[in-house]
Amino acid sequence: MTSFDGPKFKMTDGTYVQTKSIDVGSTTDISPYLSLIREDSITNSNRAVIFDVNWETETKPSKWSLSSVKLSTRNLCLFLKLPNPPFHDNLNDLYRFFASKFVTFVGVQIEEDLNLLRENHGVVIRNVIEVGKLAAKARGTLLLEYLGTRELAHRVLWSDLSRLDSIESKWEERGAEERLEAAAIEGWLIFNVWDQLYE
């Protein structure tokens, strides 16, 4: 049975985020995990899935390649480490998930990522919200549109970021579990920014 069986991390409000990290190979079936993310987004997260992507540059020809995807809800964080070059067949589930009209994909500073997904992978995310722009409009403060995850969360939530700061201060020395914890914290923070603005 599919489950998020990675570490569970306690957030500053006392709730927990359950995680799963997957090194995606040519035969890896990620669809059950995407289904759990979708179900949790509908049940507990105002239909929002927080997403973030990372890229690697291929030198010949000069091109960007998707290297990892992070998907978060209020309770779950899924981290997908993708092969380079990505295996196409088993990522079709991810591409279909991005095209879903049943959830809203929420991110910070994602315009460039959306362009790279479309240009390099043919992926179009149908229902997407740049939470910084939403915060700037809702709060009447243009600066919020240009902030990164940490700064936006601090300005909107006034949340305790000491654990995230501790992990990020020595990023190169951190192990996989601490990096996964940072991913879970960032997803949880942006979910809470979205949730506050959504109300």
Side-chain angles (χ1 to χ4, degrees):
M1 181 172 178
T2 301
S3 68
F4 277 65
D5 56 3
K8 183 187 286 190
F9 299 109
K10 187 174 183 177
M11 300 295 116
T12 56
D13 68 349
T15 62
Y16 288 86
V17 174
Q18 187 67 53
T19 63
K20 178 71 176 180
S21 180
I22 302 173
D23 285 336
V24 178
S26 61
T27 60
T28 306
D29 183 8
I30 60 174
S31 62
Y33 300 100
L34 298 175
S35 293
L36 290 173
I37 287 281
R38 181 175 30 253
E39 289 169 20
D40 193 60
S41 76
I42 292 168
T43 306
N44 300 309
S45 301
N46 295 329
R47 296 186 181 270
V49 173
I50 310 307
F51 88 103
D52 190 17
V53 294
N54 291 307
W55 300 91
E56 288 181 2
T57 305
E58 297 174 8
T59 54
K60 295 181 184 181
S62 184
K63 177 181 167 179
W64 291 91
S65 179
L66 192 59
S67 64
S68 67
V69 176
K70 177 181 69 179
L71 301 167
S72 302
T73 61
R74 180 188 308 268
N75 305 311
L76 301 174
C77 178
L78 176 62
F79 186 82
L80 302 173
K81 174 101 173 80
L82 305 178
N84 190 8
F87 297 108
H88 185 70
D89 290 343
N90 66 330
L91 291 182
N92 284 335
D93 290 328
L94 179 62
Y95 298 161
R96 280 191 295 274
F97 184 71
F98 279 143
S100 174
K101 60 185 177 184
F102 299 109
V103 297
T104 300
F105 292 92
V106 179
V108 176
Q109 299 293 325
I110 55 173
E111 194 169 317
E112 178 85 15
D113 292 326
L114 295 173
N115 290 334
L116 288 170
L117 282 168
R118 184 178 57 254
E119 292 168 7
N120 293 310
H121 296 283
V123 175
V124 176
I125 299 180
R126 286 183 168 186
N127 196 7
V128 65
I129 299 241
E130 164 55 70
V131 75
K133 287 183 181 181
L134 181 64
K137 184 176 179 182
R139 299 287 170 94
T141 306
L142 185 61
L143 172 68
L144 296 176
E145 181 177 341
Y146 302 101
L147 298 178
T149 298
R150 188 197 177 292
E151 296 81 12
L152 180 64
H154 179 70
R155 295 270 182 122
V156 173
L157 301 174
W158 298 101
S159 197
D160 177 11
L161 301 175
S162 58
R163 179 61 185 145
L164 184 59
D165 290 342
S166 172
I167 295 169
E168 291 179 345
S169 69
K170 296 182 180 178
W171 186 254
E172 296 304 318
E173 299 170 19
R174 301 301 180 191
E177 187 168 317
E178 286 177 306
R179 290 179 181 209
L180 186 57
E181 182 179 6
I185 292 169
E186 287 177 345
W188 178 84
L189 286 168
I190 294 307
F191 172 79
N192 281 288
V193 169
W194 159 255
D195 195 46
Q196 191 172 102
L197 298 171
Y198 182 80
E199 292 175 351

